[in-house]
Amino acid sequence: MQLFDEKIEAMLEQVQKAPRYTGGEMNAVRKDWDSVALHYGFCFPDTYEVGMSHLGMKILYGLVNREPDQLCERFFMPWTDMKALMEQENVPLFSTESRRPMADFDLLGFTLQYEMSYTNILAMLKLGRVPLHREERRRDDPVVVAGGPCAFNPEPLADFIDAFMIGDGEEVTLQLTAAVRDWKPTGAPREVLLRTLAAIPGVYVPAFYDVAYNADGTVASVTPNDPAAPAAVKKCVVTDLDSAYYPREFPVPYTEVVFDRIMLEIMRGCTRGCRFCQAGMLYRPVRERSLETLRSLARDLEKATGYEEISLSSLSSGDYSCLPELIRALMKDLEKERVSISLPSLRIDSVLKESLEETQKVRKTSLTFAPEAGTQRLRDVINKGVTEADLMEKVTDAFSSGWSAVKLYFMIGLPTETDEDLDGIADLAAKVVRCYFSVPKEKRAKGLRVTVSTSSFVPKPVTPFQWEPQDTLEELKRKQAYLKEKLRAVKGVNFNYHTPELSFLEACFSRGDRRLGRVLEAAVNRGCILDGWSDLFSFENWMAAFADAGLDPAWYAYRRRGEDEVMPWEHIDSGITRRFLRHELEKAQRAETTRDCRHGCNGCGLNQWKGVCAYANPGHV
Amino acid sequence: MRILATFEKQERLRHIGHLDIMRAMQRALRRSGLPVSYSKGFNPHILLTFASALSVGAASTCEIMEVSLDEPVEPGVFMARMNEALPPEMQLTGARAVDERRPAAMALVRAARYDIRLPEDATRTLGAAIPGFLAQAEIITDRKTKSGVKPCDIRPLIHALEMRENHLLAELALTETLSCKPAMLLTALCAFTGIPEPRAMVTRTRLLGETEAGAIVPLEEL
């Protein structure tokens, strides 16, 4: 260990941002390695600053470390300078806490937040000297698992991951760690463990499923090849958030990270049913934490972390049923500690806003709105229940209460989009600018800044648009140029947009099949890592990787799926019925909206968890 | 009341910058639940000062901070509460009450002692060169400032220098206007000796201040 530590110290002197690798934070776990029976490595396939901002990590880290016979330490993707030094100095990827090599851990758990981090998983396993393919792993090699939203289509990673956890992780994670802990001393082969894992509800073991393909390349079937494996793996749902584990402390980084504050998850799920939104489907049903639980968590987390800011986290915090009461209670509880509460900017009642302005330092930096589409027709297609009148009301409100910077988020390339919808984006931006000037000069803040930001639509599994093609790269670029030209005419507006090549690759992997594992491997060999960081992204290398694997990315991104086509993730059961998704797609094509679940059950399928969804109509099937 | 406390920054944390250590200390003060004073004004902050910023890459056994409290607290209690709130690599090693009218420790610092741990192979050459190095009338080396690199004579800033086993022990001037960083010393000594600069592990071991009578004493004893 001594030599290894010396080498690490020498490397840290040479890299940028050494604090990414030093650990030693307040509340970081310091368990004796030999005192526990199971060593879990939580792996975040991106840099420390991104990983330390992730709520799921904080939950699972606390959850596993609460078990007296288990420990959880963290792994992150090192930056390129550190990675190169580790390779040169022959130092394997090591944990942040005890600087143990990755291969010493019994169980490694990756979180899948974003398709473009998949190659980082492969790169981390390689750096950690863990055999890359699950088939090559021997009895003493770590068991590699993964979970998170992208696990709902696990297939592109199926060659590298021993088991996937589908759905909420709070309960299944401990079933998994216990299974590995109990198997380890038995000396039984790896396959015995995999069978135990496959029998845990919500766990998908890809080795036990065979994929057959049709002549046209589409999936013909995914069938279990072992009696331990269920025909479909149903996601885990934590039925009661109040009794589910939530950490009362978590490591506090020294350096600033992306979200450097207390994150309080007030609810899970969303009732709005935007048709492009995968999270809105995956995290159903909506469950809320009670006011009392949240107050107690907030007090404990403030004491344990020393943070001065709490953010209320969820997909749609404005929908939390007693948001004003919650905010007032938290403000009262934490007033003495000078904790500020960052709020969802929308849907705050005016009384509350006044009391906020009195007591809080509301930083009037920038307000964000996400109309997502430029015309009412297209907003109806995607079921984004925002009207132009709503937006104008909110923007006027913001300008008259002292904000002068507004960000507007849109997607381009949405199904049925025409140039008229792009014109609509420019119109909306112009109306926002006019709105600012309509507020009397003495009432509004100086320095108007309107930013229009567009991302490219990526069709995702388990959404009504899962059958839809993505716009071609050429078309996306044309639309960006068109919009840029249109917005040039609107004074006071900045325009920025995401790299469409990244969205294209996301589209390949989000709905991709098992064969794409070959592409990931070729891409890592060509140096495609940390692609979320635009300065490192090389589209040419990715295209070469597809060629290496003999696969056509256009076939994955641009193809309209047949109504009855077997999806690569057909054996993963999100609880949402295919019939519901198809019905939603048809309504989208007719630009018909679907009501918010709070106004009546739409029959998505989640009512199968009896009593969990507060809005379910048991009559719907 | 005002408390002066000494704390260490162990090797594991040596790459954490001064501002990040300050923020960690502020958070620890908040975690401790001690009655710390906040500044007045629109953006209140904890009234906390460090005697001296420590270079990134250096560890320390003797950092000094001062903090104001709204209510009196026994220094022993202060230390115990803070050490519960701080990670093991950043513990307080002492605390005492100081007169609030006294100038801030920051203004009283005159010098600092450093322990510069070197690889074995460099120590003999460098150790042997020390008498000749110090006998020079002036020692010109580069000082990096905000406005660029400037040549600077560090000879008068070196108060003491000796090699003990593989540790280069130095006492160097440290004031708001004139100071010599251990890295500058090492660069100059290696240039004088004609060897490439070795890897060095710098630990600050003492901050020194000046009494009214002109004596140089550990800052925390002033």
Side-chain angles (χ1 to χ4, degrees), chain A residues 9 22 96-97 254 306, chain B residues 12 14 23 30-31 89:
Chain A
E9 281 303 318
T22 55
T96 308
E97 283 79 1
Y254 288 99
Chain B
R12 179 164 200 165
R14 68 199 174 100
R23 191 172 46 214
R30 290 172 51 79
R31 280 195 294 265
E89 290 88 355

Side-chain angles (χ1 to χ4, degrees), chain A residues 330-348:
Chain A
L330 290 179
M331 275 167 43
K332 191 167 146 273
D333 293 348
L334 299 169
E335 197 182 0
K336 220 178 97 237
E337 283 78 22
R338 298 158 203 268
V339 173
S340 68
I341 298 155
S342 48
L343 294 169
S345 49
L346 310 179
R347 307 168 59 80
I348 304 166

Side-chain angles (χ1 to χ4, degrees), chain A residues 550-568:
Chain A
L551 292 168
D552 176 17
W555 185 79
Y556 286 96
Y558 301 156
R559 182 170 50 89
R560 183 183 299 281
R561 271 63 170 165
E563 182 173 348
D564 300 317
E565 186 174 325
V566 176
M567 301 295 184

Side-chain angles (χ1 to χ4, degrees), chain A residues 6 9-10 12-13 19 22 26 30 96-97 252-256 302-308 337-338, chain B residues 12-16 20-21 23-24 27 30-31 38 42-44 84-90 117 199-200:
Chain A
E6 262 312 301
E9 281 303 318
L12 292 181
E13 286 165 17
T22 55
M26 185 65 205
R30 293 154 200 273
T96 308
E97 283 79 1
V252 182
Y254 288 99
T255 53
E256 278 181 272
E302 189 281 327
K303 281 198 188 79
T305 62
Y307 273 123
E308 288 188 288
E337 283 78 22
R338 298 158 203 268
Chain B
R12 179 164 200 165
L13 302 184
R14 68 199 174 100
H15 298 290
I16 312 294
D20 289 338
I21 291 287
R23 191 172 46 214
R27 284 182 182 148
R30 290 172 51 79
R31 280 195 294 265
Y38 280 76
F42 185 69
N43 196 4
E84 267 172 47
L86 280 165
E89 290 88 355
M90 208 178 132
R117 194 172 76 222
R199 260 192 73 209

Side-chain angles (χ1 to χ4, degrees), chain A residues 419-494:
Chain A
D419 286 358
E420 245 174 68
D421 300 300
L422 302 175
D423 296 342
I425 294 177
D427 283 349
L428 262 187
K431 280 175 186 157
V432 168
V433 172
R434 278 206 295 280
C435 195
Y436 171 80
F437 288 107
S438 72
V439 174
K441 217 171 187 167
E442 58 283 3
K443 276 190 79 182
R444 66 182 193 227
K446 277 182 199 146
L448 169 72
R449 260 191 348 214
V450 176
T451 306
V452 170
S453 188
T454 64
S455 60
S456 307
F457 168 67
V458 178
K460 296 270 171 145
V462 201
T463 66
F465 294 150
Q466 65 178 1
W467 288 273
E468 289 294 292
Q470 187 179 40
D471 264 357
T472 63
L473 266 177
E474 292 68 37
E475 179 64 357
L476 287 173
K477 285 179 184 167
R478 185 196 68 78
K479 284 178 174 175
Q480 283 177 345
Y482 179 89
L483 189 55
K484 196 173 178 178
E485 194 52 42
K486 285 272 165 186
L487 284 168
R488 202 191 300 265
V490 189
K491 230 183 116 195
V493 175
N494 289 321

Side-chain angles (χ1 to χ4, degrees), chain A residues 394-413:
Chain A
K394 280 170 193 150
V395 169
T396 311
D397 208 33
F399 286 145
S400 17
S401 36
W403 273 276
S404 60
V406 169
K407 274 188 200 149
L408 301 170
Y409 281 114
F410 296 95
M411 258 186 271
I412 57 174

